[in-house]
mmCIF file of all heavy atoms in Angstrom:
data_model
loop_
_atom_site.group_PDB
_atom_site.id
_atom_site.type_symbol
_atom_site.label_atom_id
_atom_site.label_comp_id
_atom_site.label_asym_id
_atom_site.label_seq_id
_atom_site.Cartn_x
_atom_site.Cartn_y
_atom_site.Cartn_z
ATOM 1 N N ASN B 24 14.332 -59.541 -40.227
ATOM 2 C CA ASN B 24 15.368 -60.040 -41.138
ATOM 3 C C ASN B 24 16.748 -59.698 -40.570
ATOM 4 O O ASN B 24 17.041 -58.540 -40.278
ATOM 5 C CB ASN B 24 15.171 -59.379 -42.500
ATOM 6 C CG ASN B 24 16.042 -59.993 -43.557
ATOM 7 O OD1 ASN B 24 17.184 -60.347 -43.288
ATOM 8 N ND2 ASN B 24 15.517 -60.124 -44.753
ATOM 9 N N ILE B 26 19.719 -59.554 -41.813
ATOM 10 C CA ILE B 26 20.543 -58.616 -42.585
ATOM 11 C C ILE B 26 20.061 -57.188 -42.342
ATOM 12 O O ILE B 26 20.871 -56.264 -42.157
ATOM 13 C CB ILE B 26 20.467 -58.952 -44.082
ATOM 14 C CG1 ILE B 26 21.012 -60.349 -44.341
ATOM 15 C CG2 ILE B 26 21.195 -57.936 -44.910
ATOM 16 C CD1 ILE B 26 22.493 -60.448 -44.331
ATOM 17 N N HIS B 27 18.730 -57.013 -42.310
ATOM 18 C CA HIS B 27 18.203 -55.682 -42.007
ATOM 19 C C HIS B 27 18.675 -55.236 -40.638
ATOM 20 O O HIS B 27 19.040 -54.073 -40.441
ATOM 21 C CB HIS B 27 16.670 -55.701 -42.048
ATOM 22 C CG HIS B 27 16.128 -55.822 -43.426
ATOM 23 N ND1 HIS B 27 14.817 -56.044 -43.699
ATOM 24 C CD2 HIS B 27 16.761 -55.746 -44.620
ATOM 25 C CE1 HIS B 27 14.640 -56.109 -44.998
ATOM 26 N NE2 HIS B 27 15.797 -55.926 -45.580
ATOM 27 N N LEU B 30 22.225 -54.045 -40.840
ATOM 28 C CA LEU B 30 22.358 -52.748 -41.498
ATOM 29 C C LEU B 30 21.826 -51.630 -40.591
ATOM 30 O O LEU B 30 22.393 -50.533 -40.547
ATOM 31 C CB LEU B 30 21.622 -52.754 -42.834
ATOM 32 C CG LEU B 30 22.272 -53.680 -43.870
ATOM 33 C CD1 LEU B 30 21.440 -53.735 -45.135
ATOM 34 C CD2 LEU B 30 23.677 -53.216 -44.197
ATOM 35 N N ALA B 33 24.445 -50.715 -38.368
ATOM 36 C CA ALA B 33 25.418 -49.812 -38.993
ATOM 37 C C ALA B 33 24.919 -48.370 -38.935
ATOM 38 O O ALA B 33 25.706 -47.443 -38.712
ATOM 39 C CB ALA B 33 25.655 -50.240 -40.446
ATOM 40 N N GLU B 49 36.843 -35.488 -33.352
ATOM 41 C CA GLU B 49 36.929 -35.919 -34.744
ATOM 42 C C GLU B 49 37.553 -37.293 -34.885
ATOM 43 O O GLU B 49 37.030 -38.163 -35.579
ATOM 44 C CB GLU B 49 37.800 -34.937 -35.532
ATOM 45 C CG GLU B 49 37.105 -33.661 -35.897
ATOM 46 C CD GLU B 49 38.099 -32.691 -36.501
ATOM 47 O OE1 GLU B 49 39.219 -33.121 -36.843
ATOM 48 O OE2 GLU B 49 37.749 -31.518 -36.639
ATOM 49 N N PHE B 50 38.673 -37.468 -34.208
ATOM 50 C CA PHE B 50 39.436 -38.702 -34.366
ATOM 51 C C PHE B 50 38.590 -39.905 -33.997
ATOM 52 O O PHE B 50 38.529 -40.898 -34.723
ATOM 53 C CB PHE B 50 40.689 -38.624 -33.492
ATOM 54 C CG PHE B 50 41.611 -39.787 -33.674
ATOM 55 C CD1 PHE B 50 42.456 -39.840 -34.770
ATOM 56 C CD2 PHE B 50 41.643 -40.815 -32.760
ATOM 57 C CE1 PHE B 50 43.307 -40.913 -34.955
ATOM 58 C CE2 PHE B 50 42.486 -41.886 -32.935
ATOM 59 C CZ PHE B 50 43.322 -41.932 -34.038
ATOM 60 N N PHE B 53 35.725 -40.487 -36.673
ATOM 61 C CA PHE B 53 36.145 -41.122 -37.928
ATOM 62 C C PHE B 53 36.612 -42.544 -37.676
ATOM 63 O O PHE B 53 36.386 -43.450 -38.484
ATOM 64 C CB PHE B 53 37.238 -40.293 -38.603
ATOM 65 C CG PHE B 53 36.806 -38.886 -38.892
ATOM 66 C CD1 PHE B 53 37.712 -37.848 -38.912
ATOM 67 C CD2 PHE B 53 35.466 -38.602 -39.128
ATOM 68 C CE1 PHE B 53 37.311 -36.556 -39.179
ATOM 69 C CE2 PHE B 53 35.056 -37.319 -39.386
ATOM 70 C CZ PHE B 53 35.977 -36.285 -39.405
ATOM 71 N N GLY B 54 37.268 -42.745 -36.528
ATOM 72 C CA GLY B 54 37.681 -44.103 -36.175
ATOM 73 C C GLY B 54 36.465 -45.004 -36.021
ATOM 74 O O GLY B 54 36.467 -46.154 -36.454
ATOM 75 N N VAL B 56 33.565 -44.724 -37.554
ATOM 76 C CA VAL B 56 33.031 -45.086 -38.872
ATOM 77 C C VAL B 56 33.925 -46.121 -39.533
ATOM 78 O O VAL B 56 33.462 -47.148 -40.048
ATOM 79 C CB VAL B 56 32.910 -43.838 -39.767
ATOM 80 C CG1 VAL B 56 32.446 -44.235 -41.147
ATOM 81 C CG2 VAL B 56 31.942 -42.859 -39.158
ATOM 82 N N LEU B 57 35.232 -45.853 -39.497
ATOM 83 C CA LEU B 57 36.178 -46.738 -40.183
ATOM 84 C C LEU B 57 36.102 -48.149 -39.621
ATOM 85 O O LEU B 57 36.041 -49.130 -40.359
ATOM 86 C CB LEU B 57 37.593 -46.177 -40.028
ATOM 87 C CG LEU B 57 38.684 -46.851 -40.829
ATOM 88 C CD1 LEU B 57 38.400 -46.717 -42.303
ATOM 89 C CD2 LEU B 57 40.027 -46.242 -40.499
ATOM 90 N N VAL B 60 31.581 -49.240 -39.017
ATOM 91 C CA VAL B 60 30.811 -49.369 -40.258
ATOM 92 C C VAL B 60 31.623 -50.129 -41.296
ATOM 93 O O VAL B 60 31.113 -50.999 -42.003
ATOM 94 C CB VAL B 60 30.404 -47.985 -40.792
ATOM 95 C CG1 VAL B 60 29.625 -48.127 -42.075
ATOM 96 C CG2 VAL B 60 29.572 -47.266 -39.755
ATOM 97 N N GLY B 61 32.917 -49.788 -41.376
ATOM 98 C CA GLY B 61 33.732 -50.386 -42.427
ATOM 99 C C GLY B 61 34.110 -51.817 -42.157
ATOM 100 O O GLY B 61 34.311 -52.585 -43.086
ATOM 101 N N ILE B 65 30.340 -55.112 -41.626
ATOM 102 C CA ILE B 65 30.593 -56.053 -42.723
ATOM 103 C C ILE B 65 30.799 -57.456 -42.163
ATOM 104 O O ILE B 65 30.278 -58.452 -42.678
ATOM 105 C CB ILE B 65 31.833 -55.590 -43.511
ATOM 106 C CG1 ILE B 65 31.542 -54.307 -44.262
ATOM 107 C CG2 ILE B 65 32.290 -56.677 -44.459
ATOM 108 C CD1 ILE B 65 30.666 -54.479 -45.448
ATOM 109 N N VAL B 68 27.502 -58.928 -41.083
ATOM 110 C CA VAL B 68 26.685 -59.262 -42.247
ATOM 111 C C VAL B 68 27.169 -60.558 -42.888
ATOM 112 O O VAL B 68 26.389 -61.462 -43.201
ATOM 113 C CB VAL B 68 26.757 -58.074 -43.231
ATOM 114 C CG1 VAL B 68 26.474 -58.522 -44.615
ATOM 115 C CG2 VAL B 68 25.781 -56.998 -42.825
ATOM 116 N N ILE B 69 28.476 -60.660 -43.048
ATOM 117 C CA ILE B 69 29.012 -61.852 -43.706
ATOM 118 C C ILE B 69 28.858 -63.059 -42.798
ATOM 119 O O ILE B 69 28.541 -64.166 -43.259
ATOM 120 C CB ILE B 69 30.478 -61.598 -44.114
ATOM 121 C CG1 ILE B 69 30.461 -60.623 -45.275
ATOM 122 C CG2 ILE B 69 31.159 -62.886 -44.526
ATOM 123 C CD1 ILE B 69 31.780 -60.406 -45.912
ATOM 124 N N LEU B 72 25.384 -64.210 -43.233
ATOM 125 C CA LEU B 72 25.201 -64.859 -44.527
ATOM 126 C C LEU B 72 25.763 -66.268 -44.537
ATOM 127 O O LEU B 72 25.181 -67.176 -45.111
ATOM 128 C CB LEU B 72 25.914 -64.049 -45.601
ATOM 129 C CG LEU B 72 25.139 -62.984 -46.306
ATOM 130 C CD1 LEU B 72 25.936 -62.513 -47.495
ATOM 131 C CD2 LEU B 72 23.813 -63.508 -46.767
ATOM 132 N N ARG B 78 16.199 -65.217 -44.025
ATOM 133 C CA ARG B 78 14.760 -65.084 -43.803
ATOM 134 C C ARG B 78 14.283 -66.264 -42.959
ATOM 135 O O ARG B 78 14.073 -67.358 -43.466
ATOM 136 C CB ARG B 78 14.022 -65.083 -45.141
ATOM 137 C CG ARG B 78 14.235 -63.804 -45.915
ATOM 138 C CD ARG B 78 13.982 -64.062 -47.390
ATOM 139 N NE ARG B 78 14.712 -63.097 -48.189
ATOM 140 C CZ ARG B 78 14.141 -62.048 -48.768
ATOM 141 N NH1 ARG B 78 12.872 -61.833 -48.663
ATOM 142 N NH2 ARG B 78 14.862 -61.215 -49.478
ATOM 143 N N PRO B 125 43.666 -32.393 -30.491
ATOM 144 C CA PRO B 125 44.278 -32.656 -31.787
ATOM 145 C C PRO B 125 44.777 -34.102 -31.859
ATOM 146 O O PRO B 125 45.121 -34.703 -30.834
ATOM 147 C CB PRO B 125 45.413 -31.656 -31.859
ATOM 148 C CG PRO B 125 45.664 -31.238 -30.464
ATOM 149 C CD PRO B 125 44.388 -31.412 -29.716
ATOM 150 N N VAL B 126 44.796 -34.609 -33.073
ATOM 151 C CA VAL B 126 45.198 -36.000 -33.272
ATOM 152 C C VAL B 126 46.606 -36.230 -32.738
ATOM 153 O O VAL B 126 46.916 -37.267 -32.167
ATOM 154 C CB VAL B 126 45.130 -36.341 -34.768
ATOM 155 C CG1 VAL B 126 45.553 -37.761 -35.014
ATOM 156 C CG2 VAL B 126 43.749 -36.094 -35.291
ATOM 157 N N LYS B 127 47.423 -35.189 -32.907
ATOM 158 C CA LYS B 127 48.811 -35.315 -32.488
ATOM 159 C C LYS B 127 48.901 -35.597 -30.987
ATOM 160 O O LYS B 127 49.670 -36.463 -30.538
ATOM 161 C CB LYS B 127 49.543 -34.016 -32.822
ATOM 162 C CG LYS B 127 51.037 -34.182 -32.864
ATOM 163 C CD LYS B 127 51.690 -32.987 -33.513
ATOM 164 C CE LYS B 127 53.186 -33.244 -33.599
ATOM 165 N NZ LYS B 127 53.850 -32.401 -34.552
ATOM 166 N N LEU B 160 42.675 -72.343 -41.645
ATOM 167 C CA LEU B 160 43.630 -73.062 -42.487
ATOM 168 C C LEU B 160 43.379 -74.554 -42.463
ATOM 169 O O LEU B 160 43.501 -75.242 -43.469
ATOM 170 C CB LEU B 160 45.040 -72.759 -41.988
ATOM 171 C CG LEU B 160 46.151 -72.931 -43.007
ATOM 172 C CD1 LEU B 160 46.043 -71.854 -44.049
ATOM 173 C CD2 LEU B 160 47.489 -72.853 -42.305
ATOM 174 N N ASP B 162 41.822 -77.958 -42.743
ATOM 175 C CA ASP B 162 40.620 -78.570 -43.274
ATOM 176 C C ASP B 162 40.807 -80.081 -43.270
ATOM 177 O O ASP B 162 41.914 -80.589 -43.398
ATOM 178 C CB ASP B 162 40.279 -78.059 -44.668
ATOM 179 C CG ASP B 162 41.401 -78.229 -45.648
ATOM 180 O OD1 ASP B 162 42.554 -78.124 -45.209
ATOM 181 O OD2 ASP B 162 41.143 -78.475 -46.823
ATOM 182 N N GLU B 165 43.666 -82.729 -44.775
ATOM 183 C CA GLU B 165 44.978 -82.116 -44.952
ATOM 184 C C GLU B 165 46.059 -82.938 -44.243
ATOM 185 O O GLU B 165 47.186 -83.045 -44.729
ATOM 186 C CB GLU B 165 44.956 -80.702 -44.384
ATOM 187 C CG GLU B 165 46.267 -79.973 -44.565
ATOM 188 C CD GLU B 165 46.081 -78.701 -45.344
ATOM 189 O OE1 GLU B 165 45.709 -78.812 -46.519
ATOM 190 O OE2 GLU B 165 46.275 -77.621 -44.791
ATOM 191 N N ARG B 168 48.046 -85.661 -46.054
ATOM 192 C CA ARG B 168 49.032 -85.344 -47.094
ATOM 193 C C ARG B 168 50.409 -85.144 -46.497
ATOM 194 O O ARG B 168 50.542 -84.722 -45.359
ATOM 195 C CB ARG B 168 48.610 -84.071 -47.809
ATOM 196 C CG ARG B 168 47.380 -84.376 -48.606
ATOM 197 C CD ARG B 168 47.127 -83.371 -49.634
ATOM 198 N NE ARG B 168 45.746 -83.607 -50.097
ATOM 199 C CZ ARG B 168 44.966 -82.662 -50.556
ATOM 200 N NH1 ARG B 168 45.394 -81.439 -50.596
ATOM 201 N NH2 ARG B 168 43.768 -82.938 -50.965
ATOM 202 N N ASP C 95 14.859 -57.156 -52.440
ATOM 203 C CA ASP C 95 14.510 -56.372 -51.262
ATOM 204 C C ASP C 95 14.395 -54.922 -51.738
ATOM 205 O O ASP C 95 15.399 -54.233 -51.921
ATOM 206 C CB ASP C 95 15.623 -56.533 -50.216
ATOM 207 C CG ASP C 95 15.200 -55.976 -48.881
ATOM 208 O OD1 ASP C 95 14.651 -54.874 -48.875
ATOM 209 O OD2 ASP C 95 15.431 -56.638 -47.873
ATOM 210 N N LEU C 98 16.252 -51.832 -49.874
ATOM 211 C CA LEU C 98 17.714 -51.855 -49.949
ATOM 212 C C LEU C 98 18.174 -51.714 -51.395
ATOM 213 O O LEU C 98 19.188 -51.072 -51.665
ATOM 214 C CB LEU C 98 18.247 -53.155 -49.359
ATOM 215 C CG LEU C 98 18.166 -53.263 -47.852
ATOM 216 C CD1 LEU C 98 18.868 -54.518 -47.387
ATOM 217 C CD2 LEU C 98 18.789 -52.059 -47.192
ATOM 218 N N PHE C 128 39.737 -30.760 -41.835
ATOM 219 C CA PHE C 128 39.682 -31.517 -40.586
ATOM 220 C C PHE C 128 41.094 -31.769 -40.080
ATOM 221 O O PHE C 128 42.028 -31.942 -40.863
ATOM 222 C CB PHE C 128 39.010 -32.871 -40.816
ATOM 223 C CG PHE C 128 37.521 -32.813 -40.759
ATOM 224 C CD1 PHE C 128 36.760 -33.372 -41.782
ATOM 225 C CD2 PHE C 128 36.876 -32.239 -39.683
ATOM 226 C CE1 PHE C 128 35.388 -33.335 -41.734
ATOM 227 C CE2 PHE C 128 35.496 -32.210 -39.636
ATOM 228 C CZ PHE C 128 34.756 -32.756 -40.659
ATOM 229 N N ASP C 129 41.198 -31.827 -38.763
ATOM 230 C CA ASP C 129 42.479 -32.174 -38.155
ATOM 231 C C ASP C 129 42.827 -33.626 -38.499
ATOM 232 O O ASP C 129 43.989 -33.987 -38.622
ATOM 233 C CB ASP C 129 42.372 -31.999 -36.634
ATOM 234 C CG ASP C 129 43.730 -32.022 -35.996
ATOM 235 O OD1 ASP C 129 44.700 -31.626 -36.669
ATOM 236 O OD2 ASP C 129 43.826 -32.441 -34.838
ATOM 237 N N ALA C 130 41.800 -34.464 -38.640
ATOM 238 C CA ALA C 130 42.016 -35.864 -38.993
ATOM 239 C C ALA C 130 41.471 -36.124 -40.383
ATOM 240 O O ALA C 130 40.727 -37.069 -40.623
ATOM 241 C CB ALA C 130 41.343 -36.778 -37.968
ATOM 242 N N LEU C 133 41.937 -39.573 -42.075
ATOM 243 C CA LEU C 133 41.071 -40.582 -41.455
ATOM 244 C C LEU C 133 39.646 -40.428 -41.970
ATOM 245 O O LEU C 133 38.959 -41.424 -42.227
ATOM 246 C CB LEU C 133 41.115 -40.419 -39.943
ATOM 247 C CG LEU C 133 40.711 -41.645 -39.145
ATOM 248 C CD1 LEU C 133 41.664 -42.770 -39.418
ATOM 249 C CD2 LEU C 133 40.704 -41.322 -37.664
ATOM 250 N N PHE C 134 39.218 -39.164 -42.124
ATOM 251 C CA PHE C 134 37.882 -38.908 -42.668
ATOM 252 C C PHE C 134 37.745 -39.523 -44.047
ATOM 253 O O PHE C 134 36.750 -40.167 -44.367
ATOM 254 C CB PHE C 134 37.642 -37.395 -42.731
ATOM 255 C CG PHE C 134 36.337 -37.020 -43.365
ATOM 256 C CD1 PHE C 134 35.176 -36.987 -42.626
ATOM 257 C CD2 PHE C 134 36.273 -36.711 -44.710
ATOM 258 C CE1 PHE C 134 33.977 -36.649 -43.208
ATOM 259 C CE2 PHE C 134 35.079 -36.375 -45.306
ATOM 260 C CZ PHE C 134 33.936 -36.344 -44.551
ATOM 261 N N PHE C 136 39.338 -42.051 -45.362
ATOM 262 C CA PHE C 136 39.247 -43.511 -45.339
ATOM 263 C C PHE C 136 37.955 -43.973 -44.692
ATOM 264 O O PHE C 136 37.410 -45.021 -45.058
ATOM 265 C CB PHE C 136 40.456 -44.113 -44.625
ATOM 266 C CG PHE C 136 41.704 -44.017 -45.446
ATOM 267 C CD1 PHE C 136 42.849 -43.454 -44.928
ATOM 268 C CD2 PHE C 136 41.706 -44.456 -46.748
ATOM 269 C CE1 PHE C 136 43.991 -43.357 -45.690
ATOM 270 C CE2 PHE C 136 42.838 -44.362 -47.520
ATOM 271 C CZ PHE C 136 43.989 -43.807 -46.986
ATOM 272 N N ALA C 137 37.459 -43.220 -43.707
ATOM 273 C CA ALA C 137 36.186 -43.583 -43.085
ATOM 274 C C ALA C 137 35.065 -43.507 -44.109
ATOM 275 O O ALA C 137 34.202 -44.392 -44.188
ATOM 276 C CB ALA C 137 35.899 -42.651 -41.915
ATOM 277 N N ALA C 140 35.230 -46.415 -46.359
ATOM 278 C CA ALA C 140 34.821 -47.680 -45.756
ATOM 279 C C ALA C 140 33.332 -47.920 -45.931
ATOM 280 O O ALA C 140 32.882 -49.070 -45.953
ATOM 281 C CB ALA C 140 35.193 -47.693 -44.284
ATOM 282 N N CYS C 141 32.545 -46.839 -46.040
ATOM 283 C CA CYS C 141 31.095 -47.012 -46.171
ATOM 284 C C CYS C 141 30.712 -47.608 -47.517
ATOM 285 O O CYS C 141 29.627 -48.169 -47.670
ATOM 286 C CB CYS C 141 30.388 -45.677 -46.003
ATOM 287 S SG CYS C 141 30.656 -44.961 -44.402
ATOM 288 N N GLU C 143 31.879 -50.170 -48.980
ATOM 289 C CA GLU C 143 31.773 -51.628 -48.901
ATOM 290 C C GLU C 143 30.358 -52.050 -48.517
ATOM 291 O O GLU C 143 29.807 -53.002 -49.068
ATOM 292 C CB GLU C 143 32.748 -52.170 -47.862
ATOM 293 C CG GLU C 143 34.188 -52.054 -48.309
ATOM 294 C CD GLU C 143 35.137 -52.074 -47.141
ATOM 295 O OE1 GLU C 143 34.765 -52.646 -46.100
ATOM 296 O OE2 GLU C 143 36.243 -51.531 -47.273
ATOM 297 N N LEU C 144 29.792 -51.314 -47.576
ATOM 298 C CA LEU C 144 28.444 -51.644 -47.123
ATOM 299 C C LEU C 144 27.449 -51.470 -48.276
ATOM 300 O O LEU C 144 26.535 -52.282 -48.451
ATOM 301 C CB LEU C 144 28.079 -50.730 -45.962
ATOM 302 C CG LEU C 144 27.187 -51.357 -44.894
ATOM 303 C CD1 LEU C 144 27.814 -52.614 -44.369
ATOM 304 C CD2 LEU C 144 26.950 -50.377 -43.780
ATOM 305 N N PHE C 147 27.699 -54.351 -50.578
ATOM 306 C CA PHE C 147 27.012 -55.512 -50.008
ATOM 307 C C PHE C 147 25.499 -55.367 -50.160
ATOM 308 O O PHE C 147 24.805 -56.321 -50.533
ATOM 309 C CB PHE C 147 27.367 -55.673 -48.535
ATOM 310 C CG PHE C 147 26.545 -56.745 -47.885
ATOM 311 C CD1 PHE C 147 26.877 -58.069 -48.038
ATOM 312 C CD2 PHE C 147 25.407 -56.427 -47.172
ATOM 313 C CE1 PHE C 147 26.102 -59.062 -47.493
ATOM 314 C CE2 PHE C 147 24.629 -57.412 -46.618
ATOM 315 C CZ PHE C 147 24.978 -58.733 -46.777
ATOM 316 N N MET C 148 24.992 -54.162 -49.868
ATOM 317 C CA MET C 148 23.549 -53.940 -49.990
ATOM 318 C C MET C 148 23.077 -54.220 -51.406
ATOM 319 O O MET C 148 22.063 -54.884 -51.628
ATOM 320 C CB MET C 148 23.209 -52.497 -49.615
ATOM 321 C CG MET C 148 23.113 -52.265 -48.128
ATOM 322 S SD MET C 148 23.165 -50.528 -47.728
ATOM 323 C CE MET C 148 21.612 -49.984 -48.347
ATOM 324 N N TRP C 151 23.288 -58.084 -52.062
ATOM 325 C CA TRP C 151 22.366 -58.933 -51.306
ATOM 326 C C TRP C 151 20.919 -58.649 -51.680
ATOM 327 O O TRP C 151 20.118 -59.567 -51.838
ATOM 328 C CB TRP C 151 22.573 -58.712 -49.813
ATOM 329 C CG TRP C 151 21.688 -59.600 -48.995
ATOM 330 C CD1 TRP C 151 21.895 -60.907 -48.726
ATOM 331 C CD2 TRP C 151 20.469 -59.226 -48.367
ATOM 332 N NE1 TRP C 151 20.879 -61.391 -47.970
ATOM 333 C CE2 TRP C 151 19.984 -60.392 -47.729
ATOM 334 C CE3 TRP C 151 19.739 -58.044 -48.286
ATOM 335 C CZ2 TRP C 151 18.794 -60.374 -47.008
ATOM 336 C CZ3 TRP C 151 18.561 -58.039 -47.580
ATOM 337 C CH2 TRP C 151 18.104 -59.196 -46.938
ATOM 338 N N HIS C 154 18.929 -60.268 -54.705
ATOM 339 C CA HIS C 154 18.451 -61.641 -54.604
ATOM 340 C C HIS C 154 18.816 -62.428 -55.849
ATOM 341 O O HIS C 154 17.974 -63.029 -56.505
ATOM 342 C CB HIS C 154 16.935 -61.661 -54.395
ATOM 343 C CG HIS C 154 16.508 -62.863 -53.609
ATOM 344 N ND1 HIS C 154 15.971 -63.971 -54.186
ATOM 345 C CD2 HIS C 154 16.587 -63.129 -52.302
ATOM 346 C CE1 HIS C 154 15.716 -64.871 -53.272
ATOM 347 N NE2 HIS C 154 16.088 -64.386 -52.111
ATOM 348 N N LEU C 159 25.287 -61.609 -55.459
ATOM 349 C CA LEU C 159 25.785 -61.862 -54.110
ATOM 350 C C LEU C 159 27.248 -62.296 -54.167
ATOM 351 O O LEU C 159 28.088 -61.804 -53.393
ATOM 352 C CB LEU C 159 24.930 -62.927 -53.431
ATOM 353 C CG LEU C 159 25.228 -63.097 -51.961
ATOM 354 C CD1 LEU C 159 24.970 -61.804 -51.223
ATOM 355 C CD2 LEU C 159 24.401 -64.199 -51.343
ATOM 356 N N MET C 163 30.388 -60.348 -52.512
ATOM 357 C CA MET C 163 31.331 -60.976 -51.576
ATOM 358 C C MET C 163 32.764 -60.781 -52.065
ATOM 359 O O MET C 163 33.664 -60.448 -51.293
ATOM 360 C CB MET C 163 31.048 -62.477 -51.470
ATOM 361 C CG MET C 163 29.707 -62.794 -50.906
ATOM 362 S SD MET C 163 29.612 -62.437 -49.167
ATOM 363 C CE MET C 163 29.517 -64.068 -48.523
ATOM 364 N N ILE C 166 33.800 -57.180 -51.534
ATOM 365 C CA ILE C 166 34.104 -56.843 -50.140
ATOM 366 C C ILE C 166 35.442 -57.445 -49.746
ATOM 367 O O ILE C 166 36.293 -56.776 -49.131
ATOM 368 C CB ILE C 166 32.971 -57.339 -49.229
ATOM 369 C CG1 ILE C 166 31.720 -56.508 -49.479
ATOM 370 C CG2 ILE C 166 33.377 -57.249 -47.775
ATOM 371 C CD1 ILE C 166 30.495 -57.090 -48.846
ATOM 372 N N ILE C 170 38.483 -55.039 -48.557
ATOM 373 C CA ILE C 170 39.073 -55.134 -47.214
ATOM 374 C C ILE C 170 40.546 -55.490 -47.327
ATOM 375 O O ILE C 170 41.395 -54.922 -46.638
ATOM 376 C CB ILE C 170 38.302 -56.166 -46.371
ATOM 377 C CG1 ILE C 170 36.927 -55.609 -46.028
ATOM 378 C CG2 ILE C 170 39.061 -56.519 -45.115
ATOM 379 C CD1 ILE C 170 36.072 -56.533 -45.228
ATOM 380 N N GLY C 188 53.729 -35.684 -39.377
ATOM 381 C CA GLY C 188 53.217 -35.525 -38.027
ATOM 382 C C GLY C 188 51.832 -34.929 -37.980
ATOM 383 O O GLY C 188 51.477 -34.252 -37.026
ATOM 384 N N LEU C 190 47.524 -35.564 -39.621
ATOM 385 C CA LEU C 190 46.585 -36.252 -40.507
ATOM 386 C C LEU C 190 45.837 -35.270 -41.391
ATOM 387 O O LEU C 190 45.035 -35.673 -42.211
ATOM 388 C CB LEU C 190 45.570 -37.048 -39.677
ATOM 389 C CG LEU C 190 46.037 -38.381 -39.103
ATOM 390 C CD1 LEU C 190 45.001 -38.909 -38.132
ATOM 391 C CD2 LEU C 190 46.272 -39.384 -40.190
ATOM 392 N N ARG C 395 43.391 -77.793 -54.400
ATOM 393 C CA ARG C 395 43.355 -78.532 -53.135
ATOM 394 C C ARG C 395 42.055 -79.302 -52.985
ATOM 395 O O ARG C 395 42.028 -80.409 -52.486
ATOM 396 C CB ARG C 395 43.489 -77.563 -51.962
ATOM 397 C CG ARG C 395 44.883 -77.022 -51.814
ATOM 398 C CD ARG C 395 44.896 -75.915 -50.793
ATOM 399 N NE ARG C 395 44.643 -76.447 -49.449
ATOM 400 C CZ ARG C 395 44.194 -75.711 -48.456
ATOM 401 N NH1 ARG C 395 43.919 -74.457 -48.657
ATOM 402 N NH2 ARG C 395 44.020 -76.223 -47.270
ATOM 403 N N ALA C 398 41.101 -82.950 -55.226
ATOM 404 C CA ALA C 398 41.649 -84.293 -55.001
ATOM 405 C C ALA C 398 40.613 -85.156 -54.284
ATOM 406 O O ALA C 398 40.071 -86.071 -54.817
ATOM 407 C CB ALA C 398 42.892 -84.223 -54.139
#
Side-chain angles (χ1 to χ4, degrees):
Chain B
N24 189 322
I26 298 283
H27 288 171
L30 292 175
E49 282 172 13
F50 185 79
F53 302 150
V56 176
L57 188 62
V60 179
I65 291 287
V68 156
I69 288 188
L72 269 191
R78 288 157 205 257
V126 179
K127 199 166 183 161
L160 204 70
D162 56 326
E165 182 122 295
R168 291 198 194 150
Chain C
D95 191 314
L98 287 187
F128 276 130
D129 194 29
L133 202 63
F134 176 85
F136 287 127
C141 298
E143 290 158 26
L144 214 55
F147 173 80
M148 279 164 70
W151 182 79
H154 210 259
L159 189 60
M163 297 289 250
I166 291 168
I170 289 179
L190 282 170
R395 287 171 69 202

